[in-house]
Amino acid sequence: MNNITLGVHLIVNNEADLLPHCLTSVAGVDEIVVIDTGSTDESIAISQAHGARVFQREWTENFAAARNEGLDQADTDWILVLDADERLQTPLPELRSLLQNTQAQAFTVHIDNWLGVRPEDKVKHSAVRLFRNGQGYRYSGRIHEGIDAAILKSHNISAIVHSDIEIEHFGYLPEIMARKNKIKRNEQLLRRALAEQPEDPFHSYNLAVTCCQDGRLQEAETLLRQTLHHVPLEASYRPTMIRDLCKIYLTQGKTNIIDPLLLPELERYEDYPDLHFLLGQSLESQGLLERAFQAYQRAASISGDHVSQKYVSEQGMNTFRPLYRLGLISERLELQEDAARFYHRALQHHSLYRPALQGIASAFQRLAVPDEEIAGLLIQLVPPTNAAQRAAIIDSLFEINANETITNLSRDTFPLELETANWMISSLLITSKLEDAYTTIRQMTSLATQDNHDLEYLKKWATLWAICSWALFGEFHNDLLTYAPDELRFGLQYIQKCHQQQKVDPAEAEVDSLTLHSSFISDLIEQSVKLHQPALSEALIKLFPPFR
């Protein structure tokens, strides 16, 4: 029993950027089989460096065929299937222990699909990724391939067992989707699959998802509505279709369609928190707060143990998301203490959920709690031990205009750093601590320049520096222009020239200020108003009347 072997199988095509992380996460397995379908980067070398057996095959626009090529090469008792943009999170000893003495033919795993950088930017679902080798199982499906059907041909549903194995998937991150051009590729494969199997609702559903990812909501809506008439009630992806269709209706403001669609479906999928949450959103947008409150309560009452096993579900749909909405409704009903309690409950499930942090700060402020005490509460809820936690606290204080409190925070606990500098400098400007602001901006801009940080950071700080410089000296200092990105430097030089002339030639104003520098001037005026610096905004409006 101790000699049970485990292999990992991947399909690879130009995955050199993500592949090392994937292969490192499975270091120690008995075999890695890589089917390479035409890589021109370092993917093959990286795979071999991690001990993989690499088989080069021509890409036939069929994922199942490529998976089955890998099965033909497998020498292990069990196979775990991964994509190059995934990582195994469960320690390998736990996975091996699961395979001892089991009668199962296959296991589902939990997959966290990252959609953004914040902890809540995830969609969770389960899929069969771990199964016995040598049983004659074969993959099917040109795209979104699966092996479930092959297993269920020989065994009943009990042969597939749910596991606690966790995999992280990064392929839906916008930058990766764009770089790999996945939307176009997937659409081509799905349309080809539909041409071969025009009555297959699974392909129609996935085509709708692809259209959604591409922003073509009307086309996605039409496909989902048509497919709903043909998909079997027992299909595992049917509740996800309902969810996706309701999200499209919400985006389009078609709330009158959501209620009659969801009410019968919630009888079928009463334990699907996403549907209760979507109903709550629809009712809330219609001003039906009592019914929305009940829908959010039902979402929050659903146990989370089974949700990702049965459904595709956004992170927190039965915890911090509905609890936050309950807090918002309580605030609208002027029940501030109830709102604070709901926000607190939400934060117990996700302490860095910014909307709930900002909500609890706002609720306590409405209850006349002093800003410095609110800061103390936030520090208790989110101990500021790392940059993300400190940013969450300062962001929440900034949202309730607790600017004086931000400027008084201990620099030992809240040092100057990239994640918080914008709010800290803005608070110094708003509270008229101009010299402190000027010094702080110089420090951050110099650091950002030396460390080659993102241009957006430099733009933010250069804009703040311009506002601060004007408030202190009535002009933009030349040392500022040294650090400013080109777009800002040219704009500042133009404004400085116009200010020195105290008038703008009408022809030049039309060409330069309204065309070349209009966006910059508009942003500078808006920021100076937000930061309580009327001298600059008034001077700019005097120079450029069209921006009044």
Side-chain angles (χ1 to χ4, degrees), residues 143-144 183-195 200-217 219-224 226-227 241 244 248:
I143 182 173
H144 302 300
I183 291 175
K184 182 178 179 181
R185 180 204 68 186
N186 289 355
E187 182 169 354
Q188 290 175 343
L189 291 177
L190 285 164
R191 291 197 183 279
R192 191 165 172 184
L194 272 171
D200 190 332
F202 185 64
H203 296 322
S204 295
Y205 157 64
N206 281 298
L207 181 58
V209 172
T210 302
C211 291
C212 228
Q213 292 169 336
D214 200 31
R216 290 142 50 198
L217 297 186
E219 189 175 348
E221 176 194 334
T222 301
L223 279 165
L224 286 171
Q226 292 173 347
T227 307
M241 292 179 61
D244 292 349
I248 291 172

Side-chain angles (χ1 to χ4, degrees), residues 78 102-109 126-131 137 147-153 155-163:
W78 285 82
T102 182
Q103 299 301 310
Q105 290 294 307
F107 290 95
T108 63
V109 305
S126 291
V128 174
R129 291 290 196 88
L130 179 62
F131 53 89
Y137 305 141
I147 204 162
D148 316 35
I151 297 171
L152 294 176
K153 274 186 179 180
H155 305 274
N156 60 34
I157 191 65
S158 64
I160 300 176
V161 176
H162 296 298
S163 79

Side-chain angles (χ1 to χ4, degrees), residues 82-303:
L82 292 179
D83 290 333
D85 53 15
E86 294 177 335
R87 299 175 198 171
L88 178 66
Q89 291 296 102
T90 302
L92 203 56
E94 290 184 24
L95 201 155
R96 289 189 182 278
S97 177
L98 177 71
L99 303 181
Q100 301 295 329
N101 303 317
T102 182
Q103 299 301 310
Q105 290 294 307
F107 290 95
T108 63
V109 305
H110 296 282
I111 302 176
D112 282 348
N113 302 280
W114 284 89
L115 307 179
V117 297
R118 291 185 173 175
E120 64 267 22
D121 296 338
K122 290 190 289 189
V123 172
K124 305 169 77 72
H125 78 287
S126 291
V128 174
R129 291 290 196 88
L130 179 62
F131 53 89
R132 290 183 187 272
N133 184 31
Q135 309 299 306
Y137 305 141
R138 306 292 282 180
Y139 273 90
S140 59
R142 181 177 291 277
I143 182 173
H144 302 300
E145 69 283 5
I147 204 162
D148 316 35
I151 297 171
L152 294 176
K153 274 186 179 180
S154 305
H155 305 274
N156 60 34
I157 191 65
S158 64
I160 300 176
V161 176
H162 296 298
S163 79
D164 293 328
I165 298 169
E166 294 186 355
I167 291 172
E168 284 189 306
H169 174 229
F170 301 92
Y172 291 144
L173 289 169
E175 61 271 23
I176 295 177
M177 290 282 287
R179 188 168 72 246
K180 302 291 185 185
N181 203 10
K182 285 187 174 184
I183 291 175
K184 182 178 179 181
R185 180 204 68 186
N186 289 355
E187 182 169 354
Q188 290 175 343
L189 291 177
L190 285 164
R191 291 197 183 279
R192 191 165 172 184
L194 272 171
E196 296 165 349
Q197 299 173 295
E199 301 302 319
D200 190 332
F202 185 64
H203 296 322
S204 295
Y205 157 64
N206 281 298
L207 181 58
V209 172
T210 302
C211 291
C212 228
Q213 292 169 336
D214 200 31
R216 290 142 50 198
L217 297 186
Q218 189 56 56
E219 189 175 348
E221 176 194 334
T222 301
L223 279 165
L224 286 171
R225 284 194 290 103
Q226 292 173 347
T227 307
L228 266 179
H229 295 298
H230 306 291
V231 65
L233 287 175
E234 66 274 10
S236 61
Y237 57 90
R238 188 179 182 279
T240 315
M241 292 179 61
I242 304 296
R243 165 191 173 271
D244 292 349
L245 186 55
C246 287
K247 287 174 72 71
I248 291 172
Y249 286 152
L250 269 175
T251 302
Q252 297 174 331
K254 299 178 179 179
T255 52
N256 60 314
I257 308 177
I258 294 177
D259 297 10
L261 170 64
L262 272 182
L263 292 175
E265 297 296 346
L266 279 169
E267 293 183 8
R268 292 190 182 97
Y269 313 117
E270 61 181 358
D271 58 346
Y272 193 0
D274 297 53
L275 298 190
H276 291 288
F277 186 87
L278 288 165
L279 178 60
Q281 285 186 298
S282 174
L283 295 168
E284 188 180 357
S285 68
Q286 298 173 65
L288 303 172
L289 299 186
E290 185 176 341
R291 290 180 58 198
F293 194 91
Q294 293 171 351
Y296 291 134
Q297 280 186 315
R298 284 193 286 271
S301 70
I302 295 172
S303 169

Side-chain angles (χ1 to χ4, degrees), residues 533-548:
Q533 301 300 322
L536 176 57
S537 59
E538 289 170 2
L540 290 173
I541 289 171
K542 183 179 178 181
L543 284 172
F544 310 109
F547 291 94
R548 182 171 299 280

